[in-house]
Amino acid sequence: MQCPAARSLERIGEWWSILIIRDALHGLRRFDEFQQSLGIAPNTLSRRLDALVDAGILERREYSEHPPRYEYLLADRGRDFRPVFLALLAWGNKYFTPDGESVLIANKKTGAIVDPIDEDWAVIAHP
């Protein structure tokens, strides 16, 4: 596929994957933390974590040998997903929250509420 958006969706388009990345952005690392946060079936979580590791979005690191246990850390590709996630959050907050905005996004340094969607841009296709 030539379209970068389509190629990206091949890697993270499944909604469980986006929620796992969201939780990783909030600092969750371990299988049981993701499972508790998401209420996801263990087999589904295992498949999604494996796919995110294979795509280079998460890195798997062993933290216990007996029994073997792993934590999942954001790789560069996963950390770079932050602005995409914030834009998705802002869009959903604007259009799909029946009782008004349920999440506010603030600048870490100033505490000011911000809107991560900047309308002053254009997509330029390269041949």
Side-chain angles (χ1 to χ4, degrees), residues 7 23 28 34-36 41 44 50 52 54 57 59 65 67 84 87 89 91 99 105 109 111:
R7 287 194 304 266
D23 283 357
L28 276 61
F34 290 115
Q35 189 176 21
Q36 182 179 1
T44 302
D50 288 345
L52 290 167
D54 290 345
I57 295 167
E59 296 174 355
E65 288 185 27
V84 177
L89 183 106
W91 183 68
D99 298 324
I105 301 167
K109 293 179 183 175

Side-chain angles (χ1 to χ4, degrees), residues 8 16 19 42 44 74-75 77 85 111 116-117 121 124:
S8 298
W16 282 121
L19 296 178
T44 302
L74 289 165
R77 290 179 184 182
F85 176 74
I117 300 175
W121 60 273
I124 300 172

Side-chain angles (χ1 to χ4, degrees), residues 44-116:
T44 302
L45 179 56
S46 290
R47 281 194 311 271
R48 297 317 314 149
L49 288 170
D50 288 345
L52 290 167
V53 168
D54 290 345
I57 295 167
L58 294 177
E59 296 174 355
R60 181 183 292 121
R61 293 195 187 147
E62 188 174 54
Y63 69 88
S64 173
E65 288 185 27
H66 302 291
R69 303 255 186 229
Y70 301 92
E71 61 183 6
Y72 298 87
L73 306 170
L74 289 165
D76 288 341
R77 290 179 184 182
R79 284 187 296 278
D80 288 348
F81 188 75
R82 180 184 302 277
V84 177
F85 176 74
L86 290 174
L88 184 62
L89 183 106
W91 183 68
N93 218 14
K94 183 174 183 178
Y95 294 108
F96 304 110
T97 308
D99 298 324
E101 292 183 341
S102 61
V103 176
L104 297 176
I105 301 167
N107 180 293
K108 278 182 157 179
K109 293 179 183 175
T110 67
I113 304 302
V114 296
D115 182 356

